[in-house]
Amino acid sequence: MPIPAILQQGLQLPVIAAPMFLISAPHLVIETCKQGIIGTLPSLNARPASQFEDWLYEIEGTLAGLQAAKFGVMLVMHKTNKRLEEDLDIVIRHKVPLVITAVGLRPEVIAEIHAYGGVVFHDAIHMKHAMKAIEAGVDGIIPICAGGGGNSGALNPFTFVSQLRANFDGTIILGGALGHGREVRAAQVLGADFAYMGTRFIATQEANAAPGFKQMILDSESTDVVYTNKVTGMGASFLRKSLVKAGLDFSDTAMTPVVSVEQEEEMIAWRDIWSAGQGVGLISDVPTVAELGQRLKDEYASARHAWCK
Ligand SMILES: Cc1cc2nc3c(=O)[nH]c(=O)nc-3n(C[C@H](O)[C@H](O)[C@H](O)COP(=O)(O)O)c2cc1C
């Protein structure tokens, strides 16, 4: 179960802080990498594209010479992403170590990232997605399982990771409601190489989320997370209280036929309606990333110790 050599450098814990729209910015990435955890951000969080390159300079400049984990960038592959070419050029110029791809598959992009020595991990919510990406040559699959924040899937992690492991020798990065060091160990036991954590990192001092969003995470139970495609057209998890605040009635959580939503509308939806995964039930504080990183490492160490007995 390999972790690519380039990502082993500076890694203290097999965790990737997942890219999150509007939430992940350089400060969060830098502090995460300093903890020996891989930090990531979506390129589209930087607006305009010129800011994206400034962000990469900031991350690289601050981490240069430090004992830190590598960082990654998430690129949306869908044809509606007008910035893909420009952002990809910047990624290639900076030789970004990890590129996460989602919403579409582009073999030529994978080849360009491999050409400079970068690694590509691809989001998948079921086996068909995953197998297509494996055939296209990605280095890792991120099974986004039930209960995850953002555009998550609905599969149970036990069956999804086990099926993947049986068909794939590459890197598996398990995502969906993970937020404790014990769960990182559990992900490894299941057959994954990394744990992928989004929601846990929203409730940190460095996350670019409104104080009300962080407080709502603290105040929410796992059952307050509603999985629906009514907000953006794609299945995603949202905090019930923010849906209610936006005046939307989500007592009926049944999935409706997919409706397409304009990019601008989607941005407003994510800004005003807050997304988080079922891991909220375990979150009771807003630590600094340094505090969270140390805690995860301690929890992971004691879980490894306990299970070795
Ligand atoms: C507020 C929020 C925004 C997100 N935005 C993105 C995004 O822009 N791109 C992406 O690939 N995933 C995005 N995700 C999904 C995460 O990368 C990751 O798959 C998910 O957070 C893992 O589940 P967890 O939140 O339960 O840990 C987002 C998740 C959240 C909670």
Side-chain angles (χ1 to χ4, degrees):
M1 283 171 250
I3 291 183
I6 188 171
L7 300 184
Q8 287 177 20
Q9 294 168 32
L11 190 71
Q12 292 179 38
L13 190 68
V15 170
I16 297 176
M20 289 181 285
F21 191 47
L22 308 177
I23 308 285
S24 320
H27 189 35
L28 181 62
V29 172
I30 288 166
E31 291 308 309
T32 303
C33 294
K34 281 189 194 167
Q35 286 305 306
I37 292 170
I38 294 175
T40 67
L41 53 80
S43 68
L44 292 175
N45 277 5
R47 281 155 203 266
S50 57
Q51 191 189 40
F52 176 46
E53 181 146 38
D54 291 344
W55 279 11
L56 295 190
Y57 280 125
E58 184 183 343
I59 294 168
E60 291 157 349
T62 313
L63 295 179
L66 296 181
Q67 273 292 339
K70 296 292 178 189
F71 74 98
V73 161
M74 184 259 167
L75 297 177
V76 174
M77 293 291 120
H78 198 259
K79 55 183 181 317
T80 53
N81 178 11
K82 308 239 171 355
R83 268 183 44 185
L84 177 57
E85 226 169 279
E86 197 176 349
D87 289 352
L88 180 62
D89 282 347
I90 295 171
V91 159
I92 292 169
R93 247 197 327 272
H94 286 257
K95 298 187 165 61
V96 172
L98 168 63
V99 177
I100 294 166
T101 57
V103 208
L105 204 53
R106 304 257 189 126
E108 70 282 8
V109 170
I110 300 169
E112 286 181 273
I113 293 160
H114 284 167
Y116 70 77
V119 162
V120 182
F121 292 165
H122 188 78
D123 271 14
I125 59 169
H126 48 62
M127 278 304 285
K128 208 168 127 196
H129 268 159
M131 293 314 293
K132 273 192 169 173
I134 292 165
E135 279 162 29
V138 300
D139 306 280
I141 295 290
I142 310 172
I144 306 291
C145 294
N151 291 315
S152 72
L155 283 184
N156 179 290
F158 282 89
T159 183
F160 199 177
V161 173
S162 297
Q163 287 178 62
L164 255 182
R165 192 76 283 167
N167 286 280
F168 181 49
D169 290 334
T171 312
I172 297 177
I173 308 95
L174 174 59
L178 304 181
H180 191 285
R182 184 176 51 229
E183 294 160 5
V184 179
R185 185 70 189 125
Q188 287 180 317
V189 172
L190 198 51
D193 304 287
F194 277 108
Y196 200 57
M197 291 185 190
T199 299
R200 177 58 268 194
F201 279 84
I202 303 175
T204 61
Q205 295 293 323
E206 291 86 346
N208 187 29
F213 188 176
K214 295 180 186 180
Q215 186 60 44
M216 197 177 281
I217 286 179
L218 302 186
D219 295 342
S220 295
E221 300 294 334
S222 300
T223 45
D224 292 322
V225 173
V226 178
Y227 182 66
T228 176
N229 65 356
K230 288 179 187 164
V231 176
T232 66
M234 280 173 84
S237 300
F238 294 96
L239 292 173
R240 186 185 305 277
K241 288 169 192 150
S242 84
L243 293 167
V244 171
K245 214 167 136 197
L248 300 165
D249 174 15
F250 279 81
S251 44
D252 167 20
T253 58
M255 300 287 264
T256 53
V258 170
V259 285
S260 70
V261 172
E262 292 299 320
Q263 220 170 11
E264 196 57 26
E265 282 176 37
E266 176 151 8
M267 169 147 173
I268 292 167
W270 285 93
R271 189 195 61 201
D272 295 341
I273 305 175
W274 294 331
S275 171
Q278 291 178 11
V280 292
L282 198 74
I283 298 175
S284 57
D285 62 356
V286 184
T288 61
V289 169
E291 288 163 345
L292 176 62
Q294 191 52 54
R295 184 190 304 167
L296 290 170
K297 286 179 253 183
D298 292 345
E299 292 164 347
Y300 175 75
S302 59
R304 280 194 73 153
H305 180 71
W307 293 0
C308 283
K309 279 183 195 162

